[in-house]
Amino acid sequence: MTKQRLSRVIYPGTFDPLTNGHLDIISRAATMFDEVIIAVAASPSKNTMFTLEERVKFARDVTRHLDNVSAKGFSGLMVEFAKTEKANVLIRGLRTTTDFEYEFGLTNMYRRLMPDLESVFLTPAEEYAFLSSTIVREVAIHGGDVEQFVPPIVAKALKLKKNV
Ligand code: ADP
């Protein structure tokens, strides 16, 4: 009998902050693969609203109920982190055709850099198709209600951030 290879998947992103759309993708991946690592990018050039530690904590807190999901921060090249973690699948979320064009370009680059890493694209439930961290940050900055878009601990953190 051939030995079945375990699927160890990496889901990279900036997660500034993590939204219900990200959580939808993570939950789907957790049912499909053996192990899911949420790889939170330091992204220093993005001037993030939340620190890397805060973003990793959001990811850990909201996935506590999923026993095959973990979250880690990384800096530098995503493929290098994927190699270190011995990941064999890369997950990306696809919302629109714009995401597709962008992701398609990235996938070809990743394949050259790490041929063993297979990219898998997942689509979220339709209510999350237009949700992005950028929109959430904008709504929060202008005092709008973000509770329907993000997990409760993220909504609380956004409220605190706004009042700083
Ligand atoms: P990045 O800095 O890589 O764009 P993001 O945190 O914005 O990081 O997104 C990480 C991944 O999650 C990307 O694959 C992105 O397309 C996907 N994603 C973001 N928001 C959603 C959503 N609402 N539904 C599905 N996928 C999403």
PDB file of all heavy atoms in Angstrom, residues 70-90:
ATOM      1  N   SER A  70      -3.326  26.413  13.009  1.00  0.00           N
ATOM      2  CA  SER A  70      -2.429  27.203  13.860  1.00  0.00           C
ATOM      3  C   SER A  70      -2.097  28.500  13.122  1.00  0.00           C
ATOM      4  O   SER A  70      -2.377  28.626  11.929  1.00  0.00           O
ATOM      5  CB  SER A  70      -1.160  26.415  14.175  1.00  0.00           C
ATOM      6  OG  SER A  70      -0.478  26.118  12.967  1.00  0.00           O
ATOM      7  N   ALA A  71      -1.529  29.448  13.833  1.00  0.00           N
ATOM      8  CA  ALA A  71      -1.165  30.729  13.202  1.00  0.00           C
ATOM      9  C   ALA A  71       0.249  31.113  13.593  1.00  0.00           C
ATOM     10  O   ALA A  71       0.636  30.971  14.755  1.00  0.00           O
ATOM     11  CB  ALA A  71      -2.151  31.819  13.621  1.00  0.00           C
ATOM     12  N   LYS A  72       1.001  31.589  12.602  1.00  0.00           N
ATOM     13  CA  LYS A  72       2.382  32.000  12.854  1.00  0.00           C
ATOM     14  C   LYS A  72       2.692  33.261  12.058  1.00  0.00           C
ATOM     15  O   LYS A  72       2.182  33.418  10.946  1.00  0.00           O
ATOM     16  CB  LYS A  72       3.361  30.910  12.387  1.00  0.00           C
ATOM     17  CG  LYS A  72       3.286  29.648  13.195  1.00  0.00           C
ATOM     18  CD  LYS A  72       4.267  28.620  12.690  1.00  0.00           C
ATOM     19  CE  LYS A  72       4.123  27.342  13.510  1.00  0.00           C
ATOM     20  NZ  LYS A  72       5.049  26.301  13.082  1.00  0.00           N
ATOM     21  N   GLY A  73       3.557  34.097  12.615  1.00  0.00           N
ATOM     22  CA  GLY A  73       3.993  35.280  11.881  1.00  0.00           C
ATOM     23  C   GLY A  73       5.242  34.947  11.072  1.00  0.00           C
ATOM     24  O   GLY A  73       5.981  34.039  11.437  1.00  0.00           O
ATOM     25  N   PHE A  74       5.444  35.652   9.972  1.00  0.00           N
ATOM     26  CA  PHE A  74       6.685  35.467   9.213  1.00  0.00           C
ATOM     27  C   PHE A  74       7.061  36.765   8.516  1.00  0.00           C
ATOM     28  O   PHE A  74       6.213  37.632   8.289  1.00  0.00           O
ATOM     29  CB  PHE A  74       6.557  34.327   8.184  1.00  0.00           C
ATOM     30  CG  PHE A  74       5.775  34.694   6.944  1.00  0.00           C
ATOM     31  CD1 PHE A  74       6.424  35.060   5.772  1.00  0.00           C
ATOM     32  CD2 PHE A  74       4.390  34.686   6.956  1.00  0.00           C
ATOM     33  CE1 PHE A  74       5.711  35.412   4.619  1.00  0.00           C
ATOM     34  CE2 PHE A  74       3.660  35.033   5.822  1.00  0.00           C
ATOM     35  CZ  PHE A  74       4.324  35.389   4.651  1.00  0.00           C
ATOM     36  N   SER A  75       8.355  36.888   8.225  1.00  0.00           N
ATOM     37  CA  SER A  75       8.770  38.029   7.417  1.00  0.00           C
ATOM     38  C   SER A  75       9.601  37.482   6.260  1.00  0.00           C
ATOM     39  O   SER A  75      10.081  36.349   6.308  1.00  0.00           O
ATOM     40  CB  SER A  75       9.568  39.036   8.249  1.00  0.00           C
ATOM     41  OG  SER A  75      10.590  38.363   8.913  1.00  0.00           O
ATOM     42  N   GLY A  76       9.743  38.262   5.237  1.00  0.00           N
ATOM     43  CA  GLY A  76      10.497  37.797   4.074  1.00  0.00           C
ATOM     44  C   GLY A  76       9.612  37.059   3.095  1.00  0.00           C
ATOM     45  O   GLY A  76       8.390  37.222   3.103  1.00  0.00           O
ATOM     46  N   LEU A  77      10.225  36.206   2.295  1.00  0.00           N
ATOM     47  CA  LEU A  77       9.502  35.526   1.216  1.00  0.00           C
ATOM     48  C   LEU A  77       8.568  34.441   1.739  1.00  0.00           C
ATOM     49  O   LEU A  77       8.980  33.579   2.522  1.00  0.00           O
ATOM     50  CB  LEU A  77      10.505  34.851   0.277  1.00  0.00           C
ATOM     51  CG  LEU A  77      10.997  35.601  -0.950  1.00  0.00           C
ATOM     52  CD1 LEU A  77      11.834  34.662  -1.805  1.00  0.00           C
ATOM     53  CD2 LEU A  77       9.835  36.160  -1.755  1.00  0.00           C
ATOM     54  N   MET A  78       7.331  34.473   1.240  1.00  0.00           N
ATOM     55  CA  MET A  78       6.356  33.471   1.663  1.00  0.00           C
ATOM     56  C   MET A  78       6.842  32.053   1.327  1.00  0.00           C
ATOM     57  O   MET A  78       6.690  31.136   2.131  1.00  0.00           O
ATOM     58  CB  MET A  78       5.014  33.771   0.979  1.00  0.00           C
ATOM     59  CG  MET A  78       3.857  32.947   1.434  1.00  0.00           C
ATOM     60  SD  MET A  78       3.830  31.307   0.754  1.00  0.00           S
ATOM     61  CE  MET A  78       3.569  31.655  -0.977  1.00  0.00           C
ATOM     62  N   VAL A  79       7.434  31.858   0.153  1.00  0.00           N
ATOM     63  CA  VAL A  79       7.853  30.498  -0.212  1.00  0.00           C
ATOM     64  C   VAL A  79       8.947  29.971   0.720  1.00  0.00           C
ATOM     65  O   VAL A  79       9.004  28.770   0.990  1.00  0.00           O
ATOM     66  CB  VAL A  79       8.299  30.346  -1.689  1.00  0.00           C
ATOM     67  CG1 VAL A  79       7.124  30.398  -2.627  1.00  0.00           C
ATOM     68  CG2 VAL A  79       9.336  31.338  -2.067  1.00  0.00           C
ATOM     69  N   GLU A  80       9.783  30.864   1.218  1.00  0.00           N
ATOM     70  CA  GLU A  80      10.813  30.425   2.171  1.00  0.00           C
ATOM     71  C   GLU A  80      10.151  29.939   3.460  1.00  0.00           C
ATOM     72  O   GLU A  80      10.549  28.934   4.050  1.00  0.00           O
ATOM     73  CB  GLU A  80      11.810  31.558   2.482  1.00  0.00           C
ATOM     74  CG  GLU A  80      12.718  31.903   1.324  1.00  0.00           C
ATOM     75  CD  GLU A  80      13.460  30.677   0.758  1.00  0.00           C
ATOM     76  OE1 GLU A  80      13.889  29.816   1.539  1.00  0.00           O
ATOM     77  OE2 GLU A  80      13.582  30.579  -0.481  1.00  0.00           O
ATOM     78  N   PHE A  81       9.133  30.669   3.876  1.00  0.00           N
ATOM     79  CA  PHE A  81       8.397  30.263   5.082  1.00  0.00           C
ATOM     80  C   PHE A  81       7.689  28.928   4.833  1.00  0.00           C
ATOM     81  O   PHE A  81       7.701  28.036   5.689  1.00  0.00           O
ATOM     82  CB  PHE A  81       7.391  31.350   5.486  1.00  0.00           C
ATOM     83  CG  PHE A  81       6.672  31.042   6.769  1.00  0.00           C
ATOM     84  CD1 PHE A  81       7.351  31.025   7.987  1.00  0.00           C
ATOM     85  CD2 PHE A  81       5.313  30.753   6.781  1.00  0.00           C
ATOM     86  CE1 PHE A  81       6.700  30.731   9.167  1.00  0.00           C
ATOM     87  CE2 PHE A  81       4.647  30.454   7.966  1.00  0.00           C
ATOM     88  CZ  PHE A  81       5.345  30.447   9.160  1.00  0.00           C
ATOM     89  N   ALA A  82       7.119  28.777   3.645  1.00  0.00           N
ATOM     90  CA  ALA A  82       6.437  27.524   3.296  1.00  0.00           C
ATOM     91  C   ALA A  82       7.423  26.350   3.335  1.00  0.00           C
ATOM     92  O   ALA A  82       7.097  25.255   3.817  1.00  0.00           O
ATOM     93  CB  ALA A  82       5.806  27.640   1.915  1.00  0.00           C
ATOM     94  N   LYS A  83       8.650  26.586   2.872  1.00  0.00           N
ATOM     95  CA  LYS A  83       9.674  25.523   2.902  1.00  0.00           C
ATOM     96  C   LYS A  83      10.024  25.175   4.342  1.00  0.00           C
ATOM     97  O   LYS A  83      10.091  23.995   4.706  1.00  0.00           O
ATOM     98  CB  LYS A  83      10.941  25.991   2.168  1.00  0.00           C
ATOM     99  CG  LYS A  83      10.829  25.918   0.665  1.00  0.00           C
ATOM    100  CD  LYS A  83      12.108  26.422  -0.006  1.00  0.00           C
ATOM    101  CE  LYS A  83      11.859  26.668  -1.487  1.00  0.00           C
ATOM    102  NZ  LYS A  83      12.908  27.442  -2.144  1.00  0.00           N
ATOM    103  N   THR A  84      10.244  26.185   5.162  1.00  0.00           N
ATOM    104  CA  THR A  84      10.587  25.958   6.571  1.00  0.00           C
ATOM    105  C   THR A  84       9.496  25.151   7.272  1.00  0.00           C
ATOM    106  O   THR A  84       9.766  24.276   8.084  1.00  0.00           O
ATOM    107  CB  THR A  84      10.734  27.319   7.311  1.00  0.00           C
ATOM    108  OG1 THR A  84      11.518  28.166   6.516  1.00  0.00           O
ATOM    109  CG2 THR A  84      11.336  27.169   8.680  1.00  0.00           C
ATOM    110  N   GLU A  85       8.258  25.459   6.931  1.00  0.00           N
ATOM    111  CA  GLU A  85       7.119  24.790   7.580  1.00  0.00           C
ATOM    112  C   GLU A  85       6.788  23.441   6.923  1.00  0.00           C
ATOM    113  O   GLU A  85       5.856  22.765   7.344  1.00  0.00           O
ATOM    114  CB  GLU A  85       5.883  25.695   7.522  1.00  0.00           C
ATOM    115  CG  GLU A  85       5.991  26.945   8.374  1.00  0.00           C
ATOM    116  CD  GLU A  85       6.112  26.641   9.857  1.00  0.00           C
ATOM    117  OE1 GLU A  85       5.420  25.736  10.340  1.00  0.00           O
ATOM    118  OE2 GLU A  85       6.919  27.307  10.529  1.00  0.00           O
ATOM    119  N   LYS A  86       7.521  23.104   5.873  1.00  0.00           N
ATOM    120  CA  LYS A  86       7.278  21.866   5.118  1.00  0.00           C
ATOM    121  C   LYS A  86       5.829  21.784   4.607  1.00  0.00           C
ATOM    122  O   LYS A  86       5.188  20.731   4.623  1.00  0.00           O
ATOM    123  CB  LYS A  86       7.620  20.633   5.968  1.00  0.00           C
ATOM    124  CG  LYS A  86       9.085  20.593   6.350  1.00  0.00           C
ATOM    125  CD  LYS A  86       9.468  19.259   6.947  1.00  0.00           C
ATOM    126  CE  LYS A  86      10.949  19.059   7.123  1.00  0.00           C
ATOM    127  NZ  LYS A  86      11.729  20.215   7.521  1.00  0.00           N
ATOM    128  N   ALA A  87       5.328  22.930   4.158  1.00  0.00           N
ATOM    129  CA  ALA A  87       3.965  22.968   3.602  1.00  0.00           C
ATOM    130  C   ALA A  87       3.998  22.422   2.178  1.00  0.00           C
ATOM    131  O   ALA A  87       4.988  22.599   1.464  1.00  0.00           O
ATOM    132  CB  ALA A  87       3.450  24.400   3.595  1.00  0.00           C
ATOM    133  N   ASN A  88       2.937  21.721   1.770  1.00  0.00           N
ATOM    134  CA  ASN A  88       2.880  21.230   0.389  1.00  0.00           C
ATOM    135  C   ASN A  88       1.712  21.817  -0.399  1.00  0.00           C
ATOM    136  O   ASN A  88       1.571  21.563  -1.591  1.00  0.00           O
ATOM    137  CB  ASN A  88       2.876  19.695   0.324  1.00  0.00           C
ATOM    138  CG  ASN A  88       1.888  19.072   1.267  1.00  0.00           C
ATOM    139  OD1 ASN A  88       1.069  19.769   1.858  1.00  0.00           O
ATOM    140  ND2 ASN A  88       1.948  17.769   1.426  1.00  0.00           N
ATOM    141  N   VAL A  89       0.881  22.612   0.262  1.00  0.00           N
ATOM    142  CA  VAL A  89      -0.231  23.263  -0.427  1.00  0.00           C
ATOM    143  C   VAL A  89      -0.317  24.720   0.021  1.00  0.00           C
ATOM    144  O   VAL A  89      -0.115  25.029   1.199  1.00  0.00           O
ATOM    145  CB  VAL A  89      -1.587  22.549  -0.120  1.00  0.00           C
ATOM    146  CG1 VAL A  89      -2.750  23.265  -0.790  1.00  0.00           C
ATOM    147  CG2 VAL A  89      -1.559  21.085  -0.553  1.00  0.00           C
ATOM    148  N   LEU A  90      -0.620  25.577  -0.930  1.00  0.00           N
ATOM    149  CA  LEU A  90      -0.818  26.992  -0.647  1.00  0.00           C
ATOM    150  C   LEU A  90      -2.282  27.321  -0.909  1.00  0.00           C
ATOM    151  O   LEU A  90      -2.814  26.986  -1.967  1.00  0.00           O
ATOM    152  CB  LEU A  90       0.058  27.825  -1.594  1.00  0.00           C
ATOM    153  CG  LEU A  90      -0.204  29.322  -1.652  1.00  0.00           C
ATOM    154  CD1 LEU A  90       0.346  29.998  -0.404  1.00  0.00           C
ATOM    155  CD2 LEU A  90       0.449  29.933  -2.882  1.00  0.00           C
TER     156      LEU A  90
END
